[in-house]
Amino acid sequence: MVKIALVGCTGNIGKQVAEVVRRNPALFSFSALVCGENRAALDALKEEFKPRLALCAAGAAGDIFSDCDVAFIAAGGFAGLSYTLRAVRAGKKVALANKESLVCGGELVMREAEKYGAEIVPVDSEHSALFQALSCRRDTPFSRLVLTASGGPFLRKTAEELKYVTAADALRHPTWSMGAKITVDSATLLNKGYEVIEAKWLYGADFSQIEAIVHPESIVHSLVYFEDGAAIAQLGYPDMRLPIQFALTYPERRPCCPQLDLAAIGSLHFERLPAEKFPCYTLALAAGKEGGTAPAVLNGAGEEAVRAFLAGGISFPQIAETIEDALSRIPRERADSFEALARADRRAREAAKQRLYGV
Ligand code: MG
């Protein structure tokens, strides 16, 4: 029986983790459930799964990870980083679905994981695919990592058309069903930039070894090229339950999702990622390459900009402009402590709010 401490239990990924546990009661149980604000949903999960601990807006409270086998970090945004660090410092196996932990805190999280003997297992579909293609090892030699991108709902839009797209348009993702923030990040391709940074930290890759290509069907979830010319990919219908369950059972596999019917799908397509139309992608890569607190600034400003876009307050291109403005104004620091990252995050949000709302 794998005991799971789930942080972010009422969000999109958290609900799917609960579904995986619900379907495999002999394999999995919850030792702790933590949510951000949805107390009613937490109460329902608490009633169903009877964890030792159930917390809403936990902050630093509670002994969340002491008795778990897997710390599952599914909280969204920069807020997830502090939980990831706590789980890592408890020396746990950490199933990581929070992107910001590695995007903003990759250097710190990986260093602490090494120090405390924690294991980071990716849950994002692309990084899980890479993990599977690398024989479930993070030290398998490879020559290149290729992340696939659906391209989001605006792949075929011109730069001019992108000025007039709305939040409702952005939330219509063609292949994946996800939370609002990440769906908008998929539309700007900021999310794909994040995934390149995550791949760098997870697999010790140089940025020159990581590429993103557009694959509109979202059937090939990513692939790895090896020295001898072989490429190994992981394929499946777009369904997060598979990477969630695999993070909990690997290297074992258990029944989870329907198997692919390739003949019914017919054809798969791949094309270059049109980075020139999606400045958030380029900004993310530049911040990742710069390192230090640059990605934390990018992310903090991005979270505020997406919030404003979802509220109808700014246009789609203004998301990138807000991020770029914060990056041009906030001084960088070394990213070797949580405090430095939190400071960069706070300053970026202040700069973004100043630009967005004049406060
Ligand atoms: Mg992904």
Side-chain angles (χ1 to χ4, degrees), residues 99 124-127 148 176 178 182 191-192 195 240:
K99 291 172 184 264
D124 205 349
S125 63
E126 292 81 357
H127 305 89
T148 52
W176 290 98
M178 306 175 287
I182 182 177
N191 179 57
K192 206 49 59 178
E195 292 181 352
M240 282 307 295

Side-chain angles (χ1 to χ4, degrees), residues 85-144:
L85 282 171
R86 281 168 74 182
V88 160
R89 287 171 179 155
K92 294 296 176 179
K93 175 174 164 179
V94 182
L96 190 57
N98 171 266
K99 291 172 184 264
E100 292 77 4
S101 293
L102 291 181
V103 170
C104 303
E107 186 184 336
L108 178 63
V109 168
M110 296 316 281
R111 188 188 72 202
E112 297 290 271
E114 175 88 36
K115 182 172 164 189
Y116 291 94
E119 181 191 7
I120 310 264
V121 186
V123 175
D124 205 349
S125 63
E126 292 81 357
H127 305 89
S128 176
L130 295 174
F131 188 60
Q132 293 174 64
L134 290 163
S135 311
C136 301
R137 297 179 61 98
R138 294 193 18 249
D139 58 357
T140 302
F142 59 85
S143 57
R144 235 153 33 92

